[in-house]
Amino acid sequence: MTSRREGSPFAGLSTIALKEAADHMNSIRIQLVMLLVLLTAVGSVYAAIGQIKATIGEDQFLFLRLFTTAQQPLPSFVFFLGFLIPLVAIALGFDAINGEYSRRTLSRILSQPIYRDALLTGKFLGGLLVIAICLLALWLLVTGLGILLLGLPPSGEEIARGLAFLFASFVYAGVWLAVAMAFSTVVKSPATSALCALTAWLLFTVFWPMLAPLIAGAVAPIDPLDPMTAVHQIEIQQAIARISPNTLYGEATLALLNPATRSLGLLLTSQLSGALMGAPLPFSLSVALIWPQLAGLIATLLLLFTVAYVSFQRQEIRA
């Protein structure tokens, strides 16, 4: 005869989330990773400000250039953020569950009136809280540097686009946190789960842009006598590339921080009929343009968290 659970399965959720966030904020591991992110971000923004002052005059969206302008040898702030956010998320979540196993503290935690639902969800929300605090502080720092050194305040639309970019970065970080937590539930060793998460990061960051055209060429070869086969191959290549969270995040930031972007796919001449080239899109249309990318990132986050949830629920826990 099976016994039914009593009370809410999420009792103690807020306590676990806040305790997890506090542990992360006091961890020397996270402090070192965030110091790296801070130094690289400040360096790229300072270089971008110098480039903006030297080369750019009148611009309706001058403030957004802070995020996208690069000056050799430093890349842009967006590039640094897209490269380093997964590392921060993986550092937060790779030992979330198997670390409790290795320290033999999991059975002690679950002996309290706390269900597995609250434990896993609380750890995930604690990591998201730390990511949200760090991203908000970084965004405010970049905005403050821009106002101080450029001497111009951002417009209302620039603030709206910056906040939308902040939200997209938060969702992107949540995807990689869910990846790390999924590996932490499936793999018993923290070192192995960290290696698996880093391997996934390298696959989608470095190798996937090279694999996508190869796979598309094999699936849909080009017929020299039929020009539409080239269009079909490009569409398949884009669909394969969008399996990567990095591609989805890159397209979302492109449309938000470059208002002149009118399409994130193949743009035909017929689609430009009546359009004023170089004219910026309104913020609402840019959000509509990136909605499929944001929806894909959110769906990936929920899918990975579900994998971690189901795996954790089925595990046997011994003292």
Side-chain angles (χ1 to χ4, degrees):
M1 183 178 178
T2 59
S3 60
R4 298 182 62 182
R5 297 193 299 186
E6 297 180 358
S8 172
F10 296 105
L13 175 64
S14 60
T15 302
I16 294 174
L18 293 175
K19 176 64 166 61
E20 192 73 11
D23 290 342
H24 285 317
M25 296 298 287
N26 293 325
S27 171
I28 186 65
R29 176 180 65 197
I30 300 303
Q31 291 174 3
L32 289 175
V33 173
M34 286 309 303
L35 179 62
L36 173 64
V37 175
L38 179 64
L39 291 176
T40 53
V42 171
S44 63
V45 170
Y46 189 78
I49 290 175
Q51 184 76 4
I52 290 171
K53 288 182 176 180
T55 61
I56 299 176
E58 293 292 331
D59 193 320
Q60 183 180 355
F61 297 99
L62 183 65
F63 210 83
L64 295 180
R65 301 267 186 180
L66 286 174
F67 300 96
T68 58
T69 301
Q71 183 178 23
Q72 295 297 330
L74 292 176
S76 66
F77 175 78
V78 169
F79 178 86
F80 266 130
L81 211 58
F83 188 80
L84 294 176
I85 278 179
L87 293 180
V88 176
I90 290 171
L92 287 170
F94 77 90
D95 61 346
I97 300 301
N98 51 24
E100 302 289 350
Y101 277 109
S102 62
R103 293 189 296 269
R104 299 184 181 276
T105 55
L106 188 58
S107 59
R108 190 183 310 167
I109 295 174
L110 295 179
S111 66
Q112 308 298 318
I114 296 174
Y115 291 116
R116 300 189 192 196
D117 313 65
L119 178 63
L120 183 68
T121 308
K123 284 181 171 290
F124 184 68
L125 293 179
L128 286 180
L129 179 60
V130 173
I131 290 172
I133 293 173
C134 294
L135 285 177
L136 180 60
L138 196 60
W139 183 80
L140 290 174
L141 176 64
V142 172
T143 303
L145 283 175
I147 295 175
L148 182 65
L149 298 179
L150 287 178
L152 293 173
S155 64
E157 183 168 347
E158 286 177 315
I159 293 176
R161 288 180 177 274
L163 290 174
F165 164 67
L166 183 65
F167 176 74
S169 301
F170 175 72
V171 175
Y172 175 62
V175 170
W176 286 105
L177 179 61
V179 168
M181 291 196 66
F183 280 119
S184 77
T185 59
V186 175
V187 181
K188 296 297 183 184
S189 170
T192 306
S193 66
L195 183 61
C196 292
L198 289 173
T199 300
W201 170 66
L202 285 174
L203 171 64
F204 287 118
T205 302
V206 179
F207 298 106
W208 200 253
M210 295 184 286
L211 292 175
L214 295 178
I215 298 173
V219 172
I222 296 178
D223 184 357
L225 302 178
D226 186 3
M228 291 304 298
T229 57
V231 176
H232 183 54
Q233 186 186 88
I234 293 175
E235 291 175 344
I236 292 179
Q237 178 180 333
Q238 289 177 338
I240 295 173
R242 285 169 178 164
I243 296 175
S244 168
N246 300 61
T247 302
L248 297 177
Y249 176 68
E251 290 180 346
T253 55
L254 174 64
L256 288 173
L257 300 180
N258 185 6
T261 302
R262 293 183 170 271
S263 174
L264 296 173
L266 189 63
L267 189 62
L268 302 178
T269 307
S270 58
Q271 295 174 289
L272 296 176
S273 177
L276 183 61
M277 298 302 297
L281 283 180
F283 173 66
S284 58
L285 292 183
S286 294
V287 172
L289 185 63
I290 67 165
W291 174 243
Q293 280 72 18
L294 284 179
L297 288 173
I298 294 173
T300 304
L301 187 156
L302 295 176
L303 176 63
L304 291 169
F305 182 77
T306 302
V307 170
Y309 182 86
V310 172
S311 175
F312 187 46
Q313 293 291 338
R314 292 183 175 183
Q315 289 177 5
E316 181 181 1
I317 298 175
R318 297 179 180 178

